[in-house]
Amino acid sequence: MAELTSLLKEGRIFYPPQEGKDQAYISSRYKYKQIYQYSLDDPDEFWAERAKELITWFKYWDRTCYWDFYKPEIKFFEGGKLNACFNCVDRHLDNPAIKNKAAIIWQGEPDRDTKVYTYHMLHSEICKFAKILKNLGVEKGDRVTIYLPTMPEAVAAMLACARIGAIHSVVFGGFSSEALKVRILDAQAKVVITCDGTYRGGRRITLLDRAEEAIRDCDCVEHCIVLNRFGDPIELKDNRCILYDDLKKDLSVAEYCEYEVMDAEDPLFILYTSGTTGKPKGVYHTTGGYLVYAAHTTQWVFDLKPDDIYWCTADIGWITGHSYVVYGPLALGATVFMYEGVPTYPNPGRWWELVDRYGITILYTAPTAIRVLMREGDQWPKKYNLSSLRILGTVGEPINPEAWVWFYVNVGRKRCPVVDTWWQTETGGHMIAPIPFAVPQKPGSATYPLPGVEPVILRADGTEADINEGGHLCIKRAWPGMARGVWGDEKRFKEVYFSRFPGYYYTGDGARKDEDGYFWIMGRLDDVINVSGHRLGTMELESAFVEHPAVAEAAVVGFPHDIKGEGIFAYIVLKEGFDPTSELKKELVSHIRKVIGPIATPDFILFAPGLPKTRSGKIMRRILRKIAAQQFEDLGDTSTLAEPEVVEKLVDLRKNLK
Ligand code: WT7
C-alpha cells in the first residue's frame, strides 16, 4: 500500500494561558509527560490510584488490569463492586457542598421552559424512576431502550437503569422508527422509555408516533413508558404504553429505591454505532472501567472544578452525551447545563446568549456546529460578553484549522484553550487530547495521548510508520473505558477491531505523528483518496477549501479516474453573497494547488446547495462518492439523513456537470 501522505502543514502553536494554570490539575507539559510515563510504566498503580480517587467502591478489586487483544478479552477492576448511579448521585448527598447544588440546569428551546435539578432532587427523581422500572418487572441484566430528547428526565432514566442494574440502550431521538425498531430488537429490550416530543427550530417534533410504530413489531417490549414534555394531554395508541406521570402518582414523595451492587465487569449500557458495512453494531461498556475512565478524562481534559457550569452540546443519544453529559460530570459532582434546541434558532446568537445567561465556563461541541455558526458571521458572538468561558472543546471529526481559530478567537477571545478530543464510541472516553493548561495546541491536531493511552501508527504491513508518515491509528494496550464487545455478536467485535493488526486495537482512522509527537487525525481511512499513489486525507482538502473566503462548507471524495487511480471531486457550499461562476471555480482550483500542491488539483468542483448529513451532522460520504462516480442507481438508504431532498438536487447537478 502506498504511504499515506499528509500535506497540510499547520504551523501555528497556541500556548495555554497563564490565568488558571496555577489551579489546574495538570499545569505544565513537564508534569503531563511525567504522569504519562508513569501511567505506561506502571498501569496497575496508575489506574488503581485514579479508580480509588474518583470512584466510591463497595469492594475493591482483585486484579486491576487484564487484557489479551488476541482473544480478545479485556477486564479492569475485576472483582470490584460498585454502582454507577450511586457514584453519580447518592454519594454526593453526604457532601454538604454538593447536596443542594444544581446537578442539571435545563433550558428548553422556548425561553419559558427551564428546569433545575439539584443533586438531592435528581436523586429523588431517579429513585422513583427506578422503582417504576422495578414494579414493571425490570431486573438486573434486562435491557431498556431510551428514546428521549435532551431533557433532565432522560438523565434520570439512564441512571435509574444503572441503579437497578438494567442495561440501557439510548437511541438518538432524531432516528426514524425503523432505526429505533432495529435497535430495540437487537437488544431485545423489555421496556422502552419515550415522550410526546420535543422542540426543534421552533417546531414541535413528535417522538411518540415513531416509538409506537417501532414497537408494533417488537414482541420483546412489555411496556412503553411515556413522559410528558409538552404538558398537554397525551393520547396513547399501543396498549403497552403507560404515562410516566400516572406511574409516579402511585409512589410516595420520598420514595426510595435500593441500588444493586454491581460487578465492575457487569454491562452498564449498549450504544449503537454504524460500521462501514452491515447493520449497526451495539457496542457495550461495563460499569467499573467505563465509569473510572469517564470521570478521569472529564476531570483532566476539561480541568473540571466544583464551581464550573459545564455545557456539552451533544445529545445523550451519542457516546459524547453518555460520557460527558451524564457519567463523567455527575460522577464528579459538577453542574451540567443542557439545552434542548438547535444553535441557530431563533437566531445564530442563541448559544452565545445562553453562555452569558447561565455563566457557562466550559463549552464542548462539534466542528460541524462551529462551522455552521462561523458561516453566520462574527457579528453574532461579538454581541455577547462570553467572559465566563474558560475552556472550549471539540469532538466528532477533525477540526479544520480555520474553524479552530475562529472558535478560539471569536468565542474564546484568545483566552481559552481549545481541547480537540479524538476518541470513538468504542473507546468510551477521550484518547488523544490536549490537557488544557499543560499542552500547547496546534489547530487541527488532537495533540498528545492521554495518560494510559498508547497509540501507534502502523503501515499496512504492520510495521511502525516514521515521523510524519501517515498510517493506521492503532492502540497498543487496553484502557479502562474501552468497549468490551458487540452485543450478541462477539465474532464481529474481534473481526472489526482486533483482526486487521493482531495484538492491537484497530481504530479505523488514519493519522500521522509529527516531529513534536503531535497526532494529526486524517479521518476514517475509507475517507482517504489515493491520487497517483499519494493518499490525501479528504479532511485536509476540505480544510483548504474552507480557508477560501467564498467557501462555507466543503466535502471532498474520491472517484475512479483512468490515469490517476482516483480523482478528487469537491462539493462546495458557498457563503451568502457569492455566485457559482466558472471564474470562481478556477480560483478555487488555483487556491488548492497553492495551499496543498498540484497533486491535490481538484478534477471536479460542484457548487452544492447543501450536503447530505446524518442527523448527528456527519457528512454521508458514501452517497457523495456514488454521485461523484455517477452511480445514481444505488444510493443506499437515505432515510437517516437530515434533509434527504438534497440528494436529488446533487444528482441533477452532477448529471449536468462538465
Ligand atoms: C470517529 C468516531 C467520539 C465521540 C463522537 C464520535 C472521528 C472523533 C475526532 C477528532 C478527528 C475525530 C474519528 C473517529 N473523530 N473525534 N477530535 N478529530 N476525528 O464518535 O461516532 O464513534 O466516531 O469520529 O474518525 O474514529 P463516533
Side-chain angles (χ1 to χ4, degrees), residues 275-277 472 506 508-510 522-529 535-536 538 556-558 566 621-622 625:
T276 31
T277 51
H472 300 267
Y506 177 67
D509 279 339
M522 300 157 74
R524 306 295 302 182
L525 279 176
D526 36 24
D527 290 347
V528 164
I529 309 177
R535 302 200 75 178
L536 301 170
T538 49
V556 174
V557 295
E566 269 189 299
R621 293 170 186 289
R622 177 175 55 81
R625 272 195 290 269

Side-chain angles (χ1 to χ4, degrees), residues 12 14 301-302 310-314 343 348 350-353 355 360-382 384-387 389-421 434 436 441-445 546:
R12 286 169 285 188
F14 294 82
V301 175
F302 298 122
Y310 162 91
W311 182 12
C312 164
T313 65
R350 180 60 164 168
W351 275 13
W352 319 131
E353 181 222 327
V355 166
I360 305 296
T361 57
I362 301 171
L363 177 65
Y364 186 36
T365 190
T368 178
I370 296 170
R371 286 194 298 268
V372 163
L373 293 169
M374 180 169 89
R375 176 175 162 186
E376 300 288 344
D378 305 354
Q379 73 275 17
W380 289 104
K382 275 213 175 77
Y384 300 92
N385 192 312
L386 306 184
S387 61
L389 289 170
R390 61 182 204 95
I391 290 171
L392 303 175
T394 70
V395 60
E397 51 177 313
I399 181 163
N400 46 301
E402 205 213 358
W404 193 103
V405 171
W406 186 86
F407 198 35
Y408 179 78
V409 171
N410 290 281
V411 181
R413 307 276 157 85
K414 303 189 191 169
R415 295 180 296 104
C416 307
V418 177
V419 292
D420 172 358
T421 59
Q441 290 121 51
K442 299 186 185 184
S445 166
V546 293

Side-chain angles (χ1 to χ4, degrees), residues 319-320 395-398 420-425 509 521 524:
I319 189 72
T320 310
V395 60
E397 51 177 313
D420 172 358
T421 59
W422 175 83
W423 58 296
Q424 308 176 295
T425 304
D509 279 339
I521 312 296
R524 306 295 302 182

Side-chain angles (χ1 to χ4, degrees), residues 25-87:
Y25 285 103
I26 300 172
S27 56
S28 69
R29 178 148 47 175
Y30 175 76
K31 273 197 191 143
Y32 155 76
K33 290 206 157 153
Q34 253 185 341
I35 295 173
Y36 184 71
Q37 197 52 48
Y38 167 59
S39 75
L40 295 195
D41 292 345
D42 200 343
D44 280 335
E45 264 311 299
F46 176 76
W47 288 120
E49 277 170 27
R50 290 305 278 160
K52 286 181 183 171
E53 187 186 326
L54 296 165
I55 297 303
T56 304
W57 299 81
F58 304 136
K59 176 184 166 283
Y60 284 137
W61 48 92
D62 309 314
R63 181 163 62 171
T64 310
C65 321
Y66 167 79
W67 73 89
D68 178 342
F69 281 176
Y70 293 93
K71 278 190 200 164
E73 189 176 16
I74 301 122
K75 289 192 161 128
F76 276 80
F77 314 113
E78 230 183 315
K81 303 280 183 194
L82 76 164
N83 180 284
C85 176
F86 177 90
N87 272 280

Side-chain angles (χ1 to χ4, degrees), residues 37 41 81 136 139 148 216 225 232 251 294 309 323 330 371 388 436 457 461 503 510 549-550 577 594 616:
Q37 197 52 48
D41 292 345
K81 303 280 183 194
L136 292 176
E139 291 170 11
L148 288 171
R216 215 170 43 206
I225 303 175
D232 300 334
L251 303 174
I309 308 281
S323 303
L330 295 182
R371 286 194 298 268
S388 56
I457 293 169
D461 64 5
K594 206 173 89 209
S616 62

Side-chain angles (χ1 to χ4, degrees), residues 4 15 52 603:
L4 297 156
Y15 290 91
K52 286 181 183 171
D603 298 273

